[in-house]
Amino acid sequence: MKKTVALFLVMVLIAGLLNACGNGNENDKPNGNQNVSEKEKLTIWSYDTTTTEAMVEEYKKVYSDADIEIVPVDGDSYEQLLQTALFTETDVPDIIWGDYFSRGKIFSLGICEDLSKEPYNLDTSLVSSWVLDLCKNENGELLGLESGPAPTGLLFKRDICKQYLGTDDEAELSEMFSTWEGFLTACRKIYNDSNHKVVPFASLGDVYCVVVGMKNIPYMVDGKQNIDKVCEEVFPLMETFLKEGLCGKIDQWTAAYYSSYNSSKYAFHICPAWCPDYHIKENAKEQAGNLGICMPAGGKLFNFGGTSFSIYNKSQNKGDAWQFIQWVLLSEEGQRNVQSNLIAKGSSGGVGTLATLYEDSMYDREDDFFGGQNILKFFTENMDKVNGRPVTKYDTAFSDSLGLVLNSMKNGLSAADCKTKVMDELKLKLPELFQ
């Protein structure tokens, strides 16, 4: 991190006070003259420097006088560092990032510009509706723009599916999995016909993600918590997978989990659009050519991840920040050039924000690592079939409580008792929701 030594010291000193920060396009080269900058540098804190550097490199080829500073930060510390900067009113980035699980809380702090209003007037026709919805607060204000949509499918091993399900064609598998009954039948067939040598999922965490994503039950309804309904819909199905041996007990996003990509023991993993570049290709080299991506249970995709770009409402660089966001995310030139830059560095380029390009040839590339499947086209062709749960300011607390109970279930706690445990914990964390 380039300039955060002092910031880190401040963070340590006042960590206990962090919660005090409460509520408080049509053109490829958009006009950035609103609120002309008084500051020398446009500052971006980044926990994905490869992508950010590609954006800045391409942007500066068009806007050569742009002065942009990328400050690398750890993603797990981002929200805490941001609240520290807000508390001290120093070094707050001009462009604020919000991952899918924390942006609701960031949006609740009253620090982000509404991009649907003057002087921004974001053209919402350029972005898929569900992508826009994930960047709105509970009041419907558009407080950011998704920089990399994360439609999520099911990673499958072709040889396993061919042997036990009779096909390794992604369209046929998607049809087979189009209902929960069909998906469970397929999982049972793999497990039983292999004499229990092949387990459908390596991790109960993946099962949780699929069930939560495909059930798509909102965490809040009309200002009231809805977690009891989430537990009732999600935990029994997870319990079924666990009791029938249809998933392993490997903790998600650990070294053992990444190793399971290579293992012939496991058939499925979740696969967000960003996952091939960030995890799969690095950790599944022995499975190169034997992988594919299809629809998960329920016949749709679901959102898992993503990062929103917001403009800090006290920034002196609002015009420059908006010009940067418009060009890299909403212009054809920006989207094409950034993707080309990333491809040159060994990335697939991922799925971009601009919906008008989803049928463009820039996404039409076969990938030998995935058996010749055009994985980007798979995602972009299905962008109208994605479940996206609305974000809330309580998402971090909800997700942490729901996720922590996975170990309890693995150790034998029933679905009903898991629900009780989650609700008891949330009553302590968020008593205002249970009054």
Side-chain angles (χ1 to χ4, degrees):
M1 199 180 307
K2 296 181 180 177
K3 60 175 186 178
T4 56
V5 174
L7 180 61
F8 178 76
L9 292 174
V10 173
M11 180 191 75
V12 173
L13 290 172
I14 66 171
L17 300 176
L18 290 178
N19 288 331
C21 289
N23 293 334
N25 32 57
E26 295 177 353
N27 298 319
D28 276 357
K29 296 182 182 178
N31 184 350
N33 293 327
Q34 312 101 318
N35 300 321
V36 175
S37 229
E38 297 173 8
K39 215 166 121 178
E40 290 186 359
K41 291 183 179 180
L42 179 70
T43 305
I44 305 171
W45 288 2
S46 171
Y47 45 75
D48 179 5
T49 53
T50 299
T51 300
T52 312
E53 287 171 357
M55 290 177 172
V56 171
E57 286 168 9
E58 296 305 318
Y59 180 75
K60 292 180 76 170
K61 290 177 183 178
V62 178
Y63 299 97
S64 57
D65 59 344
D67 192 0
I68 302 174
E69 180 179 20
I70 302 171
V71 181
V73 297
D74 178 69
D76 292 335
S77 304
Y78 190 96
E79 184 183 338
Q80 190 176 41
L81 287 169
L82 176 63
Q83 291 204 58
T84 302
L86 291 167
F87 186 88
T88 60
E89 296 186 342
T90 57
D91 297 322
V92 180
D94 299 299
I95 295 177
I96 295 172
W97 285 21
D99 71 43
Y100 180 49
F101 303 101
S102 68
R103 74 180 62 161
K105 184 174 181 180
I106 291 173
F107 289 169
S108 75
L109 298 177
I111 60 172
C112 302
E113 292 282 280
D114 186 343
L115 301 183
S116 68
K117 295 181 178 178
E118 293 283 354
Y120 312 104
N121 298 318
L122 188 149
D123 183 353
T124 57
S125 69
L126 300 176
V127 185
S128 295
S129 59
W130 70 267
V131 176
L132 285 173
D133 289 342
L134 299 186
C135 293
K136 295 177 181 178
N137 64 6
E138 290 95 331
N139 297 323
E141 295 170 311
L142 185 62
L143 300 184
L145 184 60
E146 179 59 60
S147 64
T152 300
L154 190 70
L155 181 75
F156 66 89
K157 293 189 174 81
R158 294 182 181 277
D159 56 350
I160 292 175
C161 290
K162 183 73 172 178
Q163 180 174 355
Y164 298 109
L165 302 180
T167 183
D168 66 347
D169 180 81
E170 54 269 16
E172 292 178 4
L173 290 171
S174 294
E175 178 62 28
M176 191 182 299
F177 303 158
S178 62
T179 65
W180 278 104
E181 181 181 354
F183 186 60
L184 271 169
T185 297
C187 288
R188 288 167 177 148
K189 184 171 176 56
I190 290 172
Y191 185 60
N192 293 325
D193 288 4
S194 69
N195 293 318
H196 302 178
K197 292 180 180 179
V198 180
V199 178
F201 285 95
S203 172
L204 181 63
D206 274 11
V207 176
Y208 166 76
C209 289
V210 172
V211 178
V212 167
M214 297 311 298
K215 292 290 186 179
N216 201 35
I217 303 167
Y219 288 172
M220 297 284 291
V221 175
D222 296 329
K224 298 179 181 180
Q225 67 81 20
N226 196 44
I227 299 300
D228 52 346
K229 300 297 189 299
V230 175
C231 294
E232 290 166 6
E233 288 287 330
V234 171
F235 288 165
L237 194 48
M238 291 172 57
E239 188 175 38
T240 296
F241 273 84
L242 195 60
K243 283 186 173 181
E244 294 189 20
L246 305 180
C247 67
K249 296 184 179 182
I250 295 174
D251 289 338
Q252 200 179 32
W253 314 123
T254 61
Y257 178 85
Y258 298 135
S259 295
S260 71
Y261 286 133
N262 261 330
S263 175
S264 58
K265 181 178 179 180
Y266 304 109
F268 305 127
H269 294 77
I270 64 167
C271 186
W274 49 264
C275 204
D277 290 331
Y278 287 84
H279 295 312
I280 295 171
K281 289 186 177 181
E282 178 63 27
N283 293 291
K285 293 178 180 177
E286 294 175 18
Q287 295 290 334
N290 188 40
L291 301 175
I293 305 173
C294 66
M295 295 280 197
K300 295 179 73 175
L301 303 177
F302 62 94
N303 182 78
F304 187 84
T307 296
S308 60
F309 286 5
S310 299
I311 299 175
Y312 178 42
N313 61 8
K314 292 185 180 179
S315 168
Q316 298 300 307
N317 290 326
K318 293 178 185 177
D320 291 342
W322 178 232
Q323 179 173 272
F324 177 81
I325 290 172
Q326 276 192 298
W327 190 82
V328 299
L329 302 184
L330 294 179
S331 76
E332 290 192 5
E333 181 183 31
Q335 292 273 275
R336 292 182 195 280
N337 292 1
V338 171
Q339 190 193 66
S340 296
N341 186 304
L342 289 168
I343 290 171
K345 295 175 179 176
S347 166
S348 72
V351 176
T353 306
L354 187 59
T356 55
L357 287 178
Y358 288 157
E359 296 181 5
D360 190 84
S361 60
M362 68 182 281
Y363 292 115
D364 193 5
R365 285 177 283 115
E366 294 181 352
D367 193 324
D368 291 339
F369 197 93
F370 289 86
Q373 182 181 0
N374 188 330
I375 60 171
L376 290 182
K377 191 173 182 180
F378 168 80
F379 287 121
T380 57
E381 282 184 340
N382 290 295
M383 285 294 280
D384 61 340
K385 301 174 184 175
V386 182
N387 285 337
R389 177 184 47 76
V391 300
T392 81
K393 64 182 178 182
Y394 302 111
D395 281 355
T396 301
F398 289 155
S399 295
D400 287 349
S401 295
L402 288 165
L404 286 173
V405 83
L406 297 185
N407 282 331
S408 299
M409 184 173 284
K410 285 189 288 187
N411 291 327
L413 196 66
S414 70
D417 288 340
C418 282
K419 175 191 172 183
T420 299
K421 185 173 183 178
V422 168
M423 300 308 293
D424 287 346
E425 182 176 331
L426 287 175
K427 286 174 185 177
L428 293 175
K429 281 184 178 179
L430 305 169
E432 67 272 22
L433 295 181
F434 295 88
Q435 294 176 351

